[in-house]
Amino acid sequence: MLNTNLRFSFENFVVGSSNQFAHAASLAVANQPGNSYNPLFIYGGVGLGKTHLLHAIAAQISQRTPGLIVEYLSAETFINDLIHAIQYEKMRDFQKKYRSIDVLLVDDVQFMATQERTQEEFFHTFNALYDSQKQIVVTSDKVPQDIPELEERLRSRFEWGLIADIQLPDMETRAAILNKKAKVEDMDLPSDVCHFLARHIQSNVRMLEGSLTRLKAFAEMSEEPISVDMCNNVLKDILSPKRSFISIEEVIRIVAKHHGLKAGELKSPKRAKPISRARQVAMYLCRELTSESFPEIGSRFGGRDHATVIHGVNKITALLEVDSDLQREIQQLRKSLMA
Ligand code: ADP
Ligand code: MG
C-alpha cells in the first residue's frame, strides 16, 4: 500500500472538465499560500476528490516550504479537539495551536454545522488566520448557502474567497482515472475492461477505485487475467443496473440505423464490408452494454458461433486504439443506447 500523502498528490490527480477549476485553484493555493484565493472553498459530492486535493495542497506546500506549519484536519478532528480542550480547561492551548498555523486545511466542514460552540471557535480561528494572511482551505459536500444550520457569519466568510466545485467525472475522465490508478498499482488493465468499467461505474471515483481493487484481488487469487467477463462476475453488485435493460435487439437496431442499414442485414449472412463492420460494432456494444454471453450474442446475430463474436469484438477493440472516427462513432452509439 502506498503512503497516503504520496498517493493523494497532484501528480496522481487526473484533471478533466469536471474538476479542472477546483484543481487549478488548489494548485494556485499550493504555489502561493495566502496570496491567491483565500479562503478556498471546494465543494462536491462524495468520492469526487476533495480530500485528495486537500492532501495534495498540504504535500506540495510542505515540500516546497518546509518551515510552514501546514495542518490538515477533518471538521470532526476540530470538534473533538475543542471538546477535549473544554473538558480539560485547555482553551488557551487550543487557541494558540490553531492560531499559529500557516496553512489550515479543513475537510468536510459541513459537519461543523449544528455545533454552535465549534462554529464560534472556528470563526475566531478563521479570523485570526485570515487577518495574518494565512491560507485557509475548506471542503464541503455543498455550497455554503446550502449547508443547513451554518451560521451566517461563517457562511459569509466562506464566500469571501473562491468557491470551486467538483462534478461527476465524464466517461473519458473516468477511463483516465482508471488507467492512472492501474499504473500506480502496477496492474495490467486491458482497454476494453477500462472502458467497460468507466461506462458502467458512474457514481463516483471511489467506486471506480474499489472496483479495480476487487478485480486485482480476484485476478491474483484466480490467476486469471482481468477481463470483461471477470468484471461481470466480480462486480455484479455495483455495475449500473441500467445495463440489464439494454437488449441485443436494441443494440442491433440502433447500430443498423446509424449505418443506414436494416437490422435484418446485421443478422444476415451478408459479408459486404460496410455490413460486416457495422455487425462487429454491434457485437462489441452488445458485449459492453448487455450482460449476454458470447454464444448468446452470436445466436442473435443470425446463429453465428461464439468465436465469430469474439473475433468481431477483438477487431473493434484493436481498431479503437488507433481509429478516432471509430472512437467517436462508438461514443455516439453508447450515448444513444444509454439515453
Ligand atoms: P471526497 O473527499 O470528495 O469524498 P476523495 O478525495 O476521498 O473524495 O476521493 C476518493 C478516491 O478517489 C480517492 O482515492 C482519490 O484518490 C480518488 N480520486 C478522486 N478524484 C480523482 C482524480 N481526479 N484523479 C485521481 N484519483 C481521484
Ligand atoms: Mg473526503
Side-chain angles (χ1 to χ4, degrees), residues 111-163:
F111 291 129
M112 281 189 192
T114 74
Q115 315 269 342
E116 259 173 56
R117 181 71 199 270
T118 302
Q119 294 195 60
E120 178 173 350
E121 270 318 311
F122 189 67
F123 178 75
H124 294 305
T125 304
F126 185 104
N127 289 340
L129 295 180
Y130 186 87
D131 289 343
S132 355
Q133 291 181 324
K134 307 296 191 188
Q135 179 69 50
I136 301 158
V137 185
V138 296
T139 73
S140 163
D141 60 350
K142 299 182 190 71
V143 281
Q145 81 224 31
D146 290 344
I147 305 175
E149 300 191 59
L150 181 68
E151 279 181 26
E152 190 47 43
R153 54 183 183 170
L154 260 185
R155 189 192 315 270
S156 75
R157 291 294 184 281
F158 290 157
E159 288 167 349
W160 274 355
L162 181 72
I163 298 186

Short mmCIF file of all heavy atoms in Angstrom, two decimals, residues 111-163:
data_model
loop_
_atom_site.label_atom_id
_atom_site.label_comp_id
_atom_site.label_asym_id
_atom_site.label_seq_id
_atom_site.Cartn_x
_atom_site.Cartn_y
_atom_site.Cartn_z
N PHE A 111 -19.79 19.27 8.63
CA PHE A 111 -20.05 18.64 9.93
C PHE A 111 -20.00 19.63 11.10
O PHE A 111 -20.39 19.31 12.20
CB PHE A 111 -19.07 17.49 10.19
CG PHE A 111 -19.30 16.32 9.27
CD1 PHE A 111 -18.26 15.77 8.54
CD2 PHE A 111 -20.57 15.78 9.14
CE1 PHE A 111 -18.48 14.70 7.69
CE2 PHE A 111 -20.80 14.71 8.29
CZ PHE A 111 -19.76 14.17 7.56
N MET A 112 -19.49 20.82 10.82
CA MET A 112 -19.47 21.82 11.89
C MET A 112 -20.84 22.44 12.09
O MET A 112 -21.12 23.00 13.16
CB MET A 112 -18.49 22.94 11.55
CG MET A 112 -17.07 22.57 11.82
SD MET A 112 -16.07 24.04 11.63
CE MET A 112 -14.47 23.29 11.64
N ALA A 113 -21.65 22.39 11.05
CA ALA A 113 -22.99 22.98 11.17
C ALA A 113 -23.70 22.26 12.31
O ALA A 113 -23.38 21.11 12.61
CB ALA A 113 -23.76 22.81 9.87
N THR A 114 -24.59 22.91 12.95
CA THR A 114 -25.33 22.44 14.14
C THR A 114 -24.49 22.48 15.42
O THR A 114 -25.03 22.41 16.50
CB THR A 114 -25.91 21.00 14.02
OG1 THR A 114 -24.84 20.06 14.14
CG2 THR A 114 -26.67 20.78 12.72
N GLN A 115 -23.15 22.59 15.30
CA GLN A 115 -22.32 22.62 16.50
C GLN A 115 -22.01 24.09 16.81
O GLN A 115 -21.06 24.65 16.26
CB GLN A 115 -21.00 21.88 16.27
CG GLN A 115 -21.14 20.55 15.59
CD GLN A 115 -21.31 19.42 16.58
OE1 GLN A 115 -21.00 19.58 17.76
NE2 GLN A 115 -21.81 18.31 16.13
N GLU A 116 -22.77 24.65 17.71
CA GLU A 116 -22.65 26.09 17.94
C GLU A 116 -21.27 26.54 18.41
O GLU A 116 -20.67 27.45 17.87
CB GLU A 116 -23.67 26.52 18.99
CG GLU A 116 -24.88 27.17 18.37
CD GLU A 116 -25.93 27.43 19.42
OE1 GLU A 116 -25.60 28.12 20.42
OE2 GLU A 116 -27.05 26.92 19.25
N ARG A 117 -20.81 25.84 19.44
CA ARG A 117 -19.54 26.26 20.04
C ARG A 117 -18.40 26.07 19.04
O ARG A 117 -17.48 26.89 18.94
CB ARG A 117 -19.30 25.44 21.32
CG ARG A 117 -18.04 25.78 22.07
CD ARG A 117 -18.15 27.14 22.74
NE ARG A 117 -16.84 27.70 23.08
CZ ARG A 117 -16.24 27.50 24.24
NH1 ARG A 117 -16.81 26.78 25.17
NH2 ARG A 117 -15.04 28.02 24.47
N THR A 118 -18.47 24.99 18.30
CA THR A 118 -17.45 24.74 17.29
C THR A 118 -17.42 25.86 16.27
O THR A 118 -16.36 26.37 15.89
CB THR A 118 -17.75 23.41 16.55
OG1 THR A 118 -17.79 22.37 17.50
CG2 THR A 118 -16.71 23.12 15.51
N GLN A 119 -18.59 26.25 15.83
CA GLN A 119 -18.64 27.31 14.82
C GLN A 119 -18.07 28.60 15.36
O GLN A 119 -17.39 29.34 14.66
CB GLN A 119 -20.08 27.51 14.34
CG GLN A 119 -20.60 26.31 13.58
CD GLN A 119 -21.86 26.65 12.79
OE1 GLN A 119 -21.85 27.50 11.93
NE2 GLN A 119 -22.95 25.96 13.10
N GLU A 120 -18.36 28.84 16.62
CA GLU A 120 -17.84 30.08 17.20
C GLU A 120 -16.32 30.05 17.24
O GLU A 120 -15.65 30.98 16.82
CB GLU A 120 -18.41 30.26 18.61
CG GLU A 120 -17.84 31.49 19.25
CD GLU A 120 -18.50 31.82 20.59
OE1 GLU A 120 -19.52 31.18 20.92
OE2 GLU A 120 -17.96 32.70 21.28
N GLU A 121 -15.77 28.92 17.75
CA GLU A 121 -14.30 28.81 17.83
C GLU A 121 -13.69 28.86 16.45
O GLU A 121 -12.65 29.48 16.23
CB GLU A 121 -13.88 27.52 18.53
CG GLU A 121 -13.71 27.60 20.02
CD GLU A 121 -13.02 28.86 20.53
OE1 GLU A 121 -11.94 29.23 19.99
OE2 GLU A 121 -13.54 29.50 21.47
N PHE A 122 -14.32 28.19 15.52
CA PHE A 122 -13.77 28.17 14.18
C PHE A 122 -13.80 29.56 13.56
O PHE A 122 -12.88 29.98 12.87
CB PHE A 122 -14.50 27.16 13.29
CG PHE A 122 -13.80 26.97 11.97
CD1 PHE A 122 -12.55 26.37 11.92
CD2 PHE A 122 -14.37 27.40 10.78
CE1 PHE A 122 -11.87 26.21 10.72
CE2 PHE A 122 -13.70 27.26 9.56
CZ PHE A 122 -12.45 26.65 9.54
N PHE A 123 -14.87 30.27 13.87
CA PHE A 123 -14.99 31.65 13.38
C PHE A 123 -13.81 32.49 13.87
O PHE A 123 -13.17 33.21 13.10
CB PHE A 123 -16.32 32.23 13.88
CG PHE A 123 -16.53 33.66 13.50
CD1 PHE A 123 -16.87 34.01 12.19
CD2 PHE A 123 -16.42 34.67 14.44
CE1 PHE A 123 -17.07 35.34 11.84
CE2 PHE A 123 -16.63 36.00 14.09
CZ PHE A 123 -16.94 36.34 12.79
N HIS A 124 -13.48 32.36 15.15
CA HIS A 124 -12.35 33.13 15.68
C HIS A 124 -11.02 32.67 15.09
O HIS A 124 -10.15 33.48 14.78
CB HIS A 124 -12.34 33.06 17.20
CG HIS A 124 -13.53 33.73 17.81
ND1 HIS A 124 -13.86 35.04 17.53
CD2 HIS A 124 -14.50 33.28 18.65
CE1 HIS A 124 -14.98 35.37 18.17
NE2 HIS A 124 -15.38 34.31 18.86
N THR A 125 -10.87 31.37 14.96
CA THR A 125 -9.65 30.84 14.35
C THR A 125 -9.51 31.39 12.94
O THR A 125 -8.45 31.87 12.52
CB THR A 125 -9.73 29.29 14.28
OG1 THR A 125 -9.95 28.79 15.59
CG2 THR A 125 -8.45 28.70 13.71
N PHE A 126 -10.62 31.30 12.22
CA PHE A 126 -10.64 31.78 10.84
C PHE A 126 -10.19 33.24 10.78
O PHE A 126 -9.30 33.60 10.00
CB PHE A 126 -12.07 31.64 10.29
CG PHE A 126 -12.21 32.01 8.84
CD1 PHE A 126 -12.33 31.01 7.88
CD2 PHE A 126 -12.22 33.34 8.43
CE1 PHE A 126 -12.46 31.34 6.53
CE2 PHE A 126 -12.34 33.68 7.08
CZ PHE A 126 -12.46 32.68 6.14
N ASN A 127 -10.78 34.06 11.61
CA ASN A 127 -10.46 35.49 11.58
C ASN A 127 -8.99 35.75 11.88
O ASN A 127 -8.33 36.54 11.21
CB ASN A 127 -11.33 36.26 12.56
CG ASN A 127 -12.76 36.33 12.08
OD1 ASN A 127 -13.04 36.14 10.89
ND2 ASN A 127 -13.69 36.57 13.00
N ALA A 128 -8.50 35.04 12.92
CA ALA A 128 -7.11 35.25 13.32
C ALA A 128 -6.18 34.89 12.16
O ALA A 128 -5.26 35.65 11.84
CB ALA A 128 -6.79 34.40 14.54
N LEU A 129 -6.45 33.76 11.53
CA LEU A 129 -5.57 33.32 10.43
C LEU A 129 -5.72 34.24 9.23
O LEU A 129 -4.74 34.67 8.62
CB LEU A 129 -5.89 31.87 10.03
CG LEU A 129 -5.61 30.81 11.10
CD1 LEU A 129 -5.97 29.42 10.57
CD2 LEU A 129 -4.15 30.85 11.54
N TYR A 130 -6.94 34.54 8.92
CA TYR A 130 -7.22 35.37 7.75
C TYR A 130 -6.55 36.74 7.88
O TYR A 130 -5.93 37.24 6.95
CB TYR A 130 -8.73 35.51 7.57
CG TYR A 130 -9.10 36.23 6.29
CD1 TYR A 130 -9.24 35.53 5.10
CD2 TYR A 130 -9.31 37.60 6.28
CE1 TYR A 130 -9.57 36.17 3.92
CE2 TYR A 130 -9.64 38.26 5.11
CZ TYR A 130 -9.77 37.55 3.93
OH TYR A 130 -10.10 38.19 2.78
N ASP A 131 -6.67 37.30 9.08
CA ASP A 131 -6.09 38.63 9.30
C ASP A 131 -4.57 38.62 9.15
O ASP A 131 -3.97 39.63 8.80
CB ASP A 131 -6.47 39.17 10.69
CG ASP A 131 -7.96 39.53 10.72
OD1 ASP A 131 -8.55 39.67 9.63
OD2 ASP A 131 -8.50 39.66 11.84
N SER A 132 -3.94 37.47 9.45
CA SER A 132 -2.49 37.42 9.26
C SER A 132 -2.14 36.81 7.91
O SER A 132 -1.03 36.30 7.73
CB SER A 132 -1.80 36.65 10.38
OG SER A 132 -2.66 36.26 11.37
N GLN A 133 -3.11 36.82 7.00
CA GLN A 133 -2.89 36.33 5.63
C GLN A 133 -2.39 34.90 5.56
O GLN A 133 -1.56 34.54 4.73
CB GLN A 133 -1.93 37.24 4.88
CG GLN A 133 -2.58 38.57 4.61
CD GLN A 133 -1.67 39.49 3.84
OE1 GLN A 133 -0.46 39.50 4.05
NE2 GLN A 133 -2.25 40.27 2.96
N LYS A 134 -2.90 34.09 6.48
CA LYS A 134 -2.59 32.66 6.42
C LYS A 134 -3.63 32.01 5.51
O LYS A 134 -4.78 32.44 5.46
CB LYS A 134 -2.67 32.04 7.82
CG LYS A 134 -1.84 32.76 8.85
CD LYS A 134 -0.37 32.68 8.52
CE LYS A 134 0.45 33.17 9.72
NZ LYS A 134 1.85 33.30 9.37
N GLN A 135 -3.20 30.95 4.86
CA GLN A 135 -4.09 30.30 3.90
C GLN A 135 -5.10 29.38 4.60
O GLN A 135 -4.74 28.62 5.49
CB GLN A 135 -3.27 29.48 2.91
CG GLN A 135 -4.11 28.75 1.87
CD GLN A 135 -4.77 29.69 0.87
OE1 GLN A 135 -4.11 30.55 0.31
NE2 GLN A 135 -6.08 29.53 0.67
N ILE A 136 -6.34 29.47 4.15
CA ILE A 136 -7.38 28.57 4.65
C ILE A 136 -8.04 27.90 3.46
O ILE A 136 -8.42 28.56 2.49
CB ILE A 136 -8.45 29.35 5.45
CG1 ILE A 136 -7.80 30.08 6.63
CG2 ILE A 136 -9.55 28.41 5.94
CD1 ILE A 136 -8.61 31.25 7.14
N VAL A 137 -8.16 26.57 3.54
CA VAL A 137 -8.90 25.84 2.51
C VAL A 137 -9.90 24.94 3.22
O VAL A 137 -9.56 24.27 4.19
CB VAL A 137 -7.99 24.95 1.63
CG1 VAL A 137 -8.78 24.31 0.50
CG2 VAL A 137 -6.82 25.75 1.07
N VAL A 138 -11.14 24.97 2.77
CA VAL A 138 -12.12 24.07 3.37
C VAL A 138 -12.83 23.31 2.26
O VAL A 138 -12.92 23.77 1.13
CB VAL A 138 -13.17 24.80 4.25
CG1 VAL A 138 -12.53 25.44 5.44
CG2 VAL A 138 -13.92 25.83 3.45
N THR A 139 -13.31 22.12 2.61
CA THR A 139 -14.14 21.38 1.66
C THR A 139 -15.49 21.11 2.31
O THR A 139 -15.63 21.16 3.54
CB THR A 139 -13.54 20.01 1.28
OG1 THR A 139 -13.70 19.13 2.41
CG2 THR A 139 -12.09 20.11 0.89
N SER A 140 -16.44 20.85 1.45
CA SER A 140 -17.78 20.57 1.94
C SER A 140 -18.53 19.80 0.86
O SER A 140 -18.11 19.79 -0.30
CB SER A 140 -18.49 21.89 2.22
OG SER A 140 -19.89 21.69 2.32
N ASP A 141 -19.62 19.17 1.25
CA ASP A 141 -20.41 18.48 0.23
C ASP A 141 -21.39 19.42 -0.47
O ASP A 141 -22.04 19.03 -1.43
CB ASP A 141 -21.14 17.25 0.82
CG ASP A 141 -22.10 17.62 1.94
OD1 ASP A 141 -22.09 18.77 2.41
OD2 ASP A 141 -22.88 16.73 2.34
N LYS A 142 -21.49 20.66 0.04
CA LYS A 142 -22.43 21.62 -0.56
C LYS A 142 -21.82 23.01 -0.59
O LYS A 142 -20.87 23.28 0.13
CB LYS A 142 -23.69 21.73 0.29
CG LYS A 142 -24.48 20.47 0.44
CD LYS A 142 -25.74 20.75 1.28
CE LYS A 142 -26.44 19.47 1.66
NZ LYS A 142 -25.67 18.72 2.68
N VAL A 143 -22.42 23.91 -1.36
CA VAL A 143 -22.00 25.32 -1.30
C VAL A 143 -22.42 25.88 0.06
O VAL A 143 -23.38 25.39 0.66
CB VAL A 143 -22.67 26.20 -2.40
CG1 VAL A 143 -21.98 26.02 -3.72
CG2 VAL A 143 -24.15 25.93 -2.51
N PRO A 144 -21.71 26.92 0.53
CA PRO A 144 -22.03 27.46 1.86
C PRO A 144 -23.52 27.76 2.05
O PRO A 144 -24.09 27.44 3.10
CB PRO A 144 -21.20 28.74 1.92
CG PRO A 144 -20.08 28.53 0.98
CD PRO A 144 -20.58 27.62 -0.10
N GLN A 145 -24.14 28.35 1.05
CA GLN A 145 -25.54 28.74 1.26
C GLN A 145 -26.48 27.55 1.41
O GLN A 145 -27.58 27.70 1.92
CB GLN A 145 -26.03 29.67 0.15
CG GLN A 145 -26.44 28.97 -1.12
CD GLN A 145 -25.89 29.71 -2.33
OE1 GLN A 145 -24.81 30.31 -2.27
NE2 GLN A 145 -26.59 29.67 -3.43
N ASP A 146 -26.04 26.36 1.00
CA ASP A 146 -26.90 25.19 1.13
C ASP A 146 -26.59 24.32 2.35
O ASP A 146 -27.19 23.27 2.53
CB ASP A 146 -26.80 24.31 -0.12
CG ASP A 146 -27.44 24.98 -1.32
OD1 ASP A 146 -28.21 25.93 -1.12
OD2 ASP A 146 -27.17 24.54 -2.46
N ILE A 147 -25.61 24.73 3.15
CA ILE A 147 -25.33 23.93 4.35
C ILE A 147 -26.31 24.36 5.43
O ILE A 147 -26.26 25.50 5.89
CB ILE A 147 -23.89 24.14 4.85
CG1 ILE A 147 -22.88 23.85 3.73
CG2 ILE A 147 -23.60 23.25 6.06
CD1 ILE A 147 -21.44 24.15 4.12
N PRO A 148 -27.20 23.46 5.81
CA PRO A 148 -28.19 23.88 6.79
C PRO A 148 -27.53 24.13 8.14
O PRO A 148 -26.55 23.49 8.49
CB PRO A 148 -29.16 22.69 6.86
CG PRO A 148 -28.44 21.53 6.28
CD PRO A 148 -27.31 22.04 5.44
N GLU A 149 -28.06 25.08 8.83
CA GLU A 149 -27.59 25.42 10.17
C GLU A 149 -26.15 25.87 10.26
O GLU A 149 -25.51 25.76 11.30
CB GLU A 149 -27.84 24.26 11.15
CG GLU A 149 -29.33 23.94 11.25
CD GLU A 149 -29.64 23.00 12.39
OE1 GLU A 149 -29.33 23.34 13.54
OE2 GLU A 149 -30.19 21.92 12.11
N LEU A 150 -25.64 26.38 9.15
CA LEU A 150 -24.33 27.00 9.22
C LEU A 150 -24.57 28.48 9.55
O LEU A 150 -25.39 29.14 8.93
CB LEU A 150 -23.62 26.89 7.86
CG LEU A 150 -22.21 27.48 7.78
CD1 LEU A 150 -21.24 26.67 8.64
CD2 LEU A 150 -21.72 27.50 6.34
N GLU A 151 -23.85 28.94 10.57
CA GLU A 151 -24.07 30.33 10.98
C GLU A 151 -23.76 31.30 9.86
O GLU A 151 -22.80 31.12 9.12
CB GLU A 151 -23.16 30.65 12.16
CG GLU A 151 -23.69 30.16 13.47
CD GLU A 151 -22.75 30.55 14.60
OE1 GLU A 151 -22.01 31.55 14.47
OE2 GLU A 151 -22.74 29.83 15.61
N GLU A 152 -24.57 32.34 9.82
CA GLU A 152 -24.44 33.33 8.77
C GLU A 152 -23.02 33.92 8.68
O GLU A 152 -22.47 34.09 7.61
CB GLU A 152 -25.48 34.43 8.99
CG GLU A 152 -25.62 35.41 7.85
CD GLU A 152 -25.72 34.76 6.48
OE1 GLU A 152 -26.46 33.74 6.35
OE2 GLU A 152 -25.06 35.23 5.54
N ARG A 153 -22.44 34.19 9.82
CA ARG A 153 -21.13 34.85 9.78
C ARG A 153 -20.05 33.93 9.19
O ARG A 153 -19.14 34.39 8.52
CB ARG A 153 -20.73 35.35 11.17
CG ARG A 153 -20.76 34.28 12.24
CD ARG A 153 -20.43 34.89 13.58
NE ARG A 153 -20.40 33.87 14.62
CZ ARG A 153 -19.96 34.06 15.84
NH1 ARG A 153 -19.50 35.25 16.19
NH2 ARG A 153 -19.97 33.09 16.72
N LEU A 154 -20.19 32.61 9.45
CA LEU A 154 -19.21 31.69 8.85
C LEU A 154 -19.48 31.56 7.36
O LEU A 154 -18.57 31.55 6.53
CB LEU A 154 -19.32 30.31 9.49
CG LEU A 154 -18.29 29.95 10.56
CD1 LEU A 154 -18.50 28.51 10.98
CD2 LEU A 154 -16.87 30.16 10.05
N ARG A 155 -20.77 31.44 7.04
CA ARG A 155 -21.16 31.33 5.64
C ARG A 155 -20.57 32.50 4.83
O ARG A 155 -19.98 32.30 3.78
CB ARG A 155 -22.70 31.37 5.56
CG ARG A 155 -23.26 31.05 4.21
CD ARG A 155 -24.75 31.41 4.18
NE ARG A 155 -25.49 30.97 5.37
CZ ARG A 155 -26.08 29.79 5.49
NH1 ARG A 155 -26.06 28.96 4.50
NH2 ARG A 155 -26.71 29.46 6.60
N SER A 156 -20.68 33.68 5.38
CA SER A 156 -20.20 34.82 4.60
C SER A 156 -18.68 34.79 4.50
O SER A 156 -18.11 35.14 3.48
CB SER A 156 -20.73 36.12 5.16
OG SER A 156 -20.04 36.45 6.34
N ARG A 157 -18.00 34.33 5.55
CA ARG A 157 -16.53 34.20 5.48
C ARG A 157 -16.15 33.24 4.35
O ARG A 157 -15.22 33.49 3.59
CB ARG A 157 -15.94 33.65 6.78
CG ARG A 157 -16.01 34.56 7.98
CD ARG A 157 -15.15 35.78 7.78
NE ARG A 157 -15.10 36.65 8.94
CZ ARG A 157 -16.06 37.52 9.28
NH1 ARG A 157 -17.15 37.60 8.58
NH2 ARG A 157 -15.91 38.29 10.34
N PHE A 158 -16.86 32.12 4.29
CA PHE A 158 -16.54 31.12 3.27
C PHE A 158 -16.73 31.69 1.87
O PHE A 158 -16.13 31.24 0.91
CB PHE A 158 -17.42 29.87 3.43
CG PHE A 158 -17.09 29.05 4.66
CD1 PHE A 158 -18.04 28.19 5.23
CD2 PHE A 158 -15.84 29.13 5.24
CE1 PHE A 158 -17.73 27.44 6.35
CE2 PHE A 158 -15.52 28.38 6.37
CZ PHE A 158 -16.47 27.54 6.93
N GLU A 159 -17.60 32.66 1.78
CA GLU A 159 -17.88 33.23 0.46
C GLU A 159 -16.94 34.38 0.10
O GLU A 159 -17.02 34.92 -0.99
CB GLU A 159 -19.35 33.68 0.39
CG GLU A 159 -20.29 32.47 0.32
CD GLU A 159 -21.75 32.81 0.57
OE1 GLU A 159 -22.04 33.94 0.99
OE2 GLU A 159 -22.59 31.92 0.34
N TRP A 160 -16.05 34.72 0.99
CA TRP A 160 -15.11 35.80 0.72
C TRP A 160 -14.11 35.46 -0.38
O TRP A 160 -13.66 36.35 -1.10
CB TRP A 160 -14.29 36.11 1.99
CG TRP A 160 -14.95 37.06 2.92
CD1 TRP A 160 -16.12 37.72 2.71
CD2 TRP A 160 -14.47 37.46 4.21
NE1 TRP A 160 -16.40 38.51 3.79
CE2 TRP A 160 -15.41 38.37 4.72
CE3 TRP A 160 -13.35 37.13 4.97
CZ2 TRP A 160 -15.26 38.96 5.97
CZ3 TRP A 160 -13.19 37.71 6.21
CH2 TRP A 160 -14.14 38.63 6.71
N GLY A 161 -13.71 34.24 -0.38
CA GLY A 161 -12.62 33.87 -1.31
C GLY A 161 -13.17 33.28 -2.59
O GLY A 161 -14.03 33.86 -3.24
N LEU A 162 -12.65 32.12 -2.92
CA LEU A 162 -13.08 31.47 -4.16
C LEU A 162 -13.84 30.19 -3.84
O LEU A 162 -13.40 29.40 -2.99
CB LEU A 162 -11.86 31.13 -5.01
CG LEU A 162 -12.19 30.48 -6.36
CD1 LEU A 162 -12.79 31.51 -7.31
CD2 LEU A 162 -10.94 29.85 -6.96
N ILE A 163 -14.95 29.99 -4.52
CA ILE A 163 -15.71 28.75 -4.35
C ILE A 163 -15.55 27.92 -5.63
O ILE A 163 -15.82 28.41 -6.72
CB ILE A 163 -17.20 29.07 -4.09
CG1 ILE A 163 -17.30 29.87 -2.78
CG2 ILE A 163 -18.01 27.78 -4.02
CD1 ILE A 163 -18.71 30.12 -2.32
#
